[in-house]
């Protein structure tokens, strides 16, 4: 059998129309790092601006505390020095001591140093010309005191009083500086608060949106790959596998999966073709064997002895059984190949039971089985051909394993929104460990096959076809122990409106 060529897993990757349109990470690791970086970038920006605001608040707080304290301390010291200078001048006017002049000069130099310290604070509310004027006045008073007569001291004391008022103005200007710095600090704190609120109400939702976007970008190809693997596992090779991924690595994985799909589809087609060809090839000689057995059994070629008639009967029954197995193979191949849509119609299940029992009459009579049916009409809306296939296979399976002379029961009833069909036999039953596997294609239980009395070894596809037909109706099939011993197969076919 010729096998069509299947392109390799990397075929078509170079034809990807999205490749080259934009720069994409080549690997999942690169995608993760990129996504983490983009998500973290707004947070990093917010942290940097937050740190800058904290630094500004810290600087302004230090300036407010340090310079505010210093200007207050220097202002008080200037007032204290002026009071000391006034006292020294008054005492000089009474005592006329040179020591008092020296003390006044020392106080003047200290006053000058305090003014320099105030100037070093660089307060914008305290102009340098005001400090320079005080400095000149203090030095002038020091020179005038050194040459003043006792009667002239009063005028100098008046000048010191003027300087005291100017010093009080310095204190007021220092307080003004503190008020302004405090207002500036409050404004910065308000800006920081506003920025943090913006981060909470704008930046964080943005980060969450970016996170959701990248989660969707990363999870989407993973869901596509998962869905593709599920379809491959279910045997659906018809849909092309396309992975729309942000990374070349996932694109390559999608291409390999599609190559595997095409390869599996090719192998599946070859398998189905082999089954069909072999089944048809087997049916031709089998038809000749069956016709020959019927001629012998009917006495067309002459009367047969009792032993010869038994042999002809065995040939007849086994040829029919073998024909049934071949039909199962053909049904399985057709179902696997096309999964045809169901054609719903309303019909009587009991009538279908009777027709199937009549079809298997020879095998049933050969084992002297008693097959019971409901005996009254039970209507169901379903695909008649698929229901025929379901019940025919279940009954054939029950007849195959039922002991000679036992009973096989066909039952049907209504549930809330479904029809229930049961097929019960008195055979060996199905072991619990094998109940899930018996519905797999080509599965054959050594235990149950050994219990089949004189029957041909099955193909292991009858129950698989039954399950697929049931699932096509949206129903379910289970196997349990029958109430009187043996196996009980239960099929639920939901009503069409309940699907």
């Amino acid at each position: 059998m010729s096998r069509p060529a299947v392109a390799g897993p990397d075929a078509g990757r170079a034809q990807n129309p999205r490749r080259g349109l934009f720069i994409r990470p080549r690997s999942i690791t690169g995608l993760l790092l990129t996504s983490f970086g983009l998500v973290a970038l707004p947070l990093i920006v917010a942290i940097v601006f937050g740190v800058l605001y904290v630094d500004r608040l810290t600087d302004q707080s230090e300036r407010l505390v340090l310079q505010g304290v210093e200007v207050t301390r220097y202002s008080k010291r200037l007032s204290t020095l002026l009071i000391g200078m006034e006292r020294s001048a008054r005492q000089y006017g009474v005592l006329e001591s040179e020591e008092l002049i020296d003390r006044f000069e020392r106080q003047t130099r200290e006053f000058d140093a305090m003014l320099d310290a105030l100037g070093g604070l660089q307060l914008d509310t305290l102009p340098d010309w005001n400090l320079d004027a005080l400095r000149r006045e203090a030095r002038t008073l020091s020179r005038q005191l050194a040459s003043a007569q006792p009667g002239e001291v009063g005028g100098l004391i008046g000048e010191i009083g003027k300087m005291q008022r100017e010093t009080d103005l310095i204190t007021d200007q220092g307080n003004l500086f503190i008020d302004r710095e405090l207002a500036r600090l409050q404004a910065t704190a308000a800006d920081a608060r506003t920025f943090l609120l913006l981060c909470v109400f704008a930046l964080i939702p943005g980060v969450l949106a970016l996170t959701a976007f990248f989660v969707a970008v990363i999870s989407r190809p993973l869901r596509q790959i998962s869905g593709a693997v599920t379809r491959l596992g279910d045997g659906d090779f018809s849909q092309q596998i396309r992975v729309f991924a942000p990374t070349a690595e996932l694109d390559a994985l999608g291409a390999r999966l599609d190559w595997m799909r095409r390869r599996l589809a090719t192998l599946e087609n070859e398998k189905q073709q082999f089954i069909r060809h072999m089944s048809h090839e087997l049916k031709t000689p089998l038809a000749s064997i069956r016709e020959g057995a019927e001629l012998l059994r009917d006495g067309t070629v002459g009367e047969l002895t009792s032993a010869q008639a038994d042999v002809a009967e065995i040939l007849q029954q086994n040829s029919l059984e073998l024909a049934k197995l071949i039909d199962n193979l053909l049904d399985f191949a057709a179902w696997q190949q096309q999964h045809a849509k169901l054609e719903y119609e309303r019909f009587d299940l009991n009538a279908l039971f009777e027709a199937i029992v009549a079809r298997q009459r020879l095998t049933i009579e050969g084992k002297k089985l008693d097959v019971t049916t409901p005996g009254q009409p039970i209507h169901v809306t379903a695909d008649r051909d698929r229901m025929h296939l379901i019940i025919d296979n279940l009954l054939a399976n029950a007849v195959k394993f039922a002991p000679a002379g036992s009973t096989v029961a066909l039952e049907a009833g209504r549930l809330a929104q479904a029809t229930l069909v049961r097929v019960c036999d008195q055979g060996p039953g199905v072991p619990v460990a094998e109940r899930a596997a018996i519905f797999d294609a080509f599965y054959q239980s050594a235990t149950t096959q050994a219990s089949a009395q004189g029957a041909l070894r099955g193909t292991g596809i009858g129950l698989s076809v039954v399950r697929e037909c049931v699932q096509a109706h949206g129903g379910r099939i289970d196997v349990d122990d029958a109430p009187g011993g043996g196996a009980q197969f239960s099929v639920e076919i939901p009503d069409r409106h309940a699907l």
Side-chain angles (χ1 to χ4, degrees):
M1 182 183 302
S2 62
R3 177 174 297 176
V6 178
D10 295 329
R13 288 172 58 186
Q15 288 78 22
N16 190 342
R18 296 182 297 116
R19 190 176 305 278
L21 295 180
F22 53 88
I23 299 176
R24 300 184 301 161
R26 295 184 60 85
S27 65
I28 298 178
T29 302
L31 174 62
L32 292 176
L33 292 177
T34 302
S35 61
F36 288 155
L38 291 177
V39 169
L41 182 61
L43 296 177
I44 294 174
V45 172
I47 291 173
V48 170
F49 277 97
V51 170
L52 293 178
Y53 272 114
V54 170
D55 287 340
R56 286 178 59 186
L57 287 172
T58 302
D59 293 340
Q60 291 177 0
S61 300
E62 291 180 354
R63 177 178 172 83
L64 174 63
V65 172
L66 296 179
Q67 294 187 347
V69 169
E70 290 295 321
V71 72
T72 302
R73 185 169 65 87
Y74 292 156
S75 298
K76 290 181 178 181
R77 182 59 180 164
L78 287 175
S79 297
T80 302
L81 288 173
L82 285 175
I83 293 173
M85 292 169 65
E86 182 181 358
R87 184 180 298 113
S88 298
R90 289 182 184 275
Q91 291 176 352
Y92 177 77
V94 176
L95 302 176
E96 297 183 4
S97 173
E98 294 293 332
E99 182 179 352
L100 294 174
I101 294 177
D102 294 337
R103 187 172 68 178
F104 189 91
E105 290 180 353
R106 288 196 304 271
Q107 291 171 340
T108 301
R109 288 194 296 271
E110 189 174 355
F111 186 84
D112 195 7
M114 288 297 101
L115 292 176
D116 291 338
L118 275 173
L121 294 178
Q122 297 180 352
L123 304 181
D124 52 0
T125 59
L126 186 61
D128 293 337
W129 58 266
N130 194 5
L131 299 178
D132 293 338
L134 284 174
R135 187 180 293 109
R136 287 194 301 270
E137 291 176 4
R139 292 174 182 175
T140 300
L141 287 176
S142 178
R143 290 194 301 268
Q144 290 176 353
L145 183 62
S147 61
Q149 298 297 322
E152 299 175 351
V153 173
L156 297 178
I157 293 174
E159 294 294 330
I160 293 175
K162 294 180 181 179
M163 292 177 63
Q164 182 68 50
R165 288 191 295 272
E166 294 178 2
T167 303
D168 293 338
L169 291 176
I170 292 177
T171 302
D172 294 339
Q173 291 170 347
N175 293 332
L176 178 61
F177 165 77
I178 293 174
D179 293 339
R180 290 181 57 181
E181 289 297 319
L182 181 60
R184 190 176 300 172
L185 180 63
Q186 292 173 342
T188 303
D191 291 342
R193 188 182 303 109
T194 303
F195 176 76
L196 292 177
L197 289 176
L198 288 175
C199 289
V200 171
F201 292 107
L203 188 59
I204 292 180
V207 170
L208 293 178
L210 277 176
T211 302
F213 171 75
F214 281 109
V215 167
V217 167
I218 295 174
S219 62
R220 179 186 178 187
L222 296 180
R223 289 195 303 270
Q224 292 173 339
I225 292 172
S226 177
V229 172
T230 300
R231 291 196 300 272
L232 292 179
D234 292 339
D236 182 9
F237 310 125
S238 59
Q239 185 175 352
Q240 182 181 0
I241 297 176
R242 293 182 178 180
V243 177
F244 297 96
T247 65
E249 193 174 50
L250 291 177
D251 278 347
L253 180 59
R256 292 188 182 96
L257 282 175
D258 191 63
W259 170 81
M260 184 170 67
R261 174 194 67 83
R262 289 182 278 115
R263 180 61 177 159
L264 290 174
T266 300
L267 295 176
E268 181 67 18
N269 289 333
E270 291 178 358
K271 183 189 75 174
Q272 299 300 334
Q273 186 178 4
F274 173 78
I275 292 175
R276 291 194 300 271
H277 288 179
M278 290 303 298
S279 298
H280 285 292
E281 291 295 331
L282 289 174
K283 290 186 73 173
T284 300
L286 180 61
S288 300
I289 294 174
R290 187 172 67 248
E291 291 173 359
E294 289 178 356
L295 291 175
L296 290 175
R297 183 170 174 271
D298 294 341
T300 303
V301 295
E303 293 293 329
L304 302 178
T305 64
S306 177
Q308 291 172 338
D310 290 340
V311 172
E313 181 69 21
I314 292 173
L315 288 174
Q316 174 73 12
Q317 291 184 0
N318 282 275
S319 63
L320 291 175
E321 182 69 21
L322 187 56
K324 173 65 176 175
L325 295 178
I326 294 175
D327 288 339
N328 278 343
L329 281 173
L330 291 174
D331 289 338
F332 177 77
W335 182 265
Q336 289 288 329
Q337 183 179 17
Q338 59 186 4
H339 289 282
K341 291 184 178 180
L342 301 181
E343 297 181 0
Y344 282 89
E345 60 178 300
R346 189 167 180 80
F347 58 92
D348 182 11
L349 262 180
N350 187 64
L352 184 62
F353 288 163
E354 298 291 350
I356 294 173
V357 170
R359 182 175 181 272
Q360 300 186 24
R361 178 182 55 82
L362 289 178
T363 306
I364 293 172
E365 292 177 352
K367 298 185 69 172
K368 297 181 174 57
L369 299 177
D370 181 19
V371 179
T372 64
T373 59
Q376 59 185 3
I378 300 175
H379 290 89
V380 65
T381 301
D383 187 299
R384 182 191 292 269
D385 292 337
R386 301 305 170 193
M387 289 300 298
H388 185 283
L389 190 60
I390 291 170
I391 298 169
D392 189 35
N393 276 280
L394 290 179
L395 179 60
N397 187 73
V399 169
K400 178 178 180 180
F401 294 102
S406 62
T407 299
V408 175
L410 295 177
E411 303 173 354
R414 286 289 303 166
L415 299 176
Q417 291 184 319
T419 300
L420 177 64
V421 177
R422 287 196 182 102
V423 179
C424 307
D425 62 62
Q426 297 176 341
V430 180
V432 177
E434 299 179 356
R435 289 179 181 177
I438 61 173
F439 297 104
D440 295 337
F442 303 108
Y443 177 82
Q444 294 179 343
S445 170
T447 303
T448 54
Q449 288 293 341
S451 303
Q453 300 178 358
L456 289 175
R457 185 175 180 85
T459 59
I461 62 172
L463 292 179
S464 174
V465 172
V466 169
R467 181 179 64 177
E468 293 196 13
C469 291
V470 171
Q471 290 178 346
H473 283 84
R476 53 176 294 182
I477 180 170
D478 297 306
V479 58
D480 295 296
D481 294 327
Q488 173 180 279
F489 287 85
S490 301
V491 176
E492 290 184 19
I493 302 296
D495 298 337
R496 191 175 185 183
H497 64 81
L499 295 175

